[in-house]
Amino acid sequence: MNSAQDKRQATEDHHDQEVTVVLGECPEEDARTVFDALRAAFTTDRSSADVPHEAGDGRPTVWTATVDVSEARVISGAVRLGGPVTLDVQGGYAAVDRLRAGLADAFAVRVLGTVSGDQEEEVRLRLDNR
């Protein structure tokens, strides 16, 4: 393989490990709890200083993160939410499965629905206290 093919393959392999996470319609404290758990289990593009805040103008607030699931860490123990949280995750099939398994270390995770594509899927998850 030549250098250009190696770079393209490495980029594709990394992309296969990324999952986009979108959550909203929950209190900012619960959003922070979910992002803290994601950060504990995986590498994300959200730093610990990037704390979710409500927009405050009456419009719905949505928070997003990109999660690299290539190296998973175990979350030690359950994490408490103020109430159930619904999130949408999108990525490759194996990557979404790894994200769901990582979240299951901290929360009760239930699949509410899926939309399957050729190489990716979108899954709506419901997180609750274990």
Side-chain angles (χ1 to χ4, degrees), residues 83-106:
V85 174
T86 301
L87 59 143
D88 294 312
V89 299
Q90 181 179 1
Y93 289 93
V96 168
D97 286 343
R98 280 192 294 275
L99 181 106
R100 187 171 54 230
L103 287 171
D105 288 337

Side-chain angles (χ1 to χ4, degrees), residues 4 26 41 44 46 56 60 65 67 71 77 93 125 127:
C26 70
T44 78
R46 292 185 72 100
V67 180
E71 293 182 31
Y93 289 93
L125 300 174
L127 306 180

Side-chain angles (χ1 to χ4, degrees), residues 13-75:
D13 289 345
H14 181 71
H15 177 71
D16 290 343
Q17 303 300 318
E18 289 186 346
V19 178
T20 302
V21 176
V22 179
L23 66 138
E25 299 183 27
C26 70
E28 59 189 43
E29 297 82 19
D30 285 343
R32 181 178 186 152
T33 299
V34 171
F35 287 129
D36 287 348
L38 285 169
R39 208 173 15 265
F42 306 103
T43 301
T44 78
D45 65 346
R46 292 185 72 100
S47 73
S48 58
D50 188 4
V51 178
H53 294 287
E54 294 283 344
D57 57 4
R59 295 186 302 210
T61 301
V62 176
W63 298 285
T64 64
T66 301
V67 180
D68 181 343
V69 298
S70 59
E71 293 182 31
R73 299 177 291 271
V74 176
I75 301 172

Side-chain angles (χ1 to χ4, degrees), residues 1-18 68 70:
M1 234 187 278
N2 67 31
S3 176
Q5 287 175 320
D6 289 342
K7 287 180 185 176
R8 185 172 59 248
Q9 184 64 43
T11 300
E12 288 172 4
D13 289 345
H14 181 71
H15 177 71
D16 290 343
Q17 303 300 318
E18 289 186 346
D68 181 343
S70 59

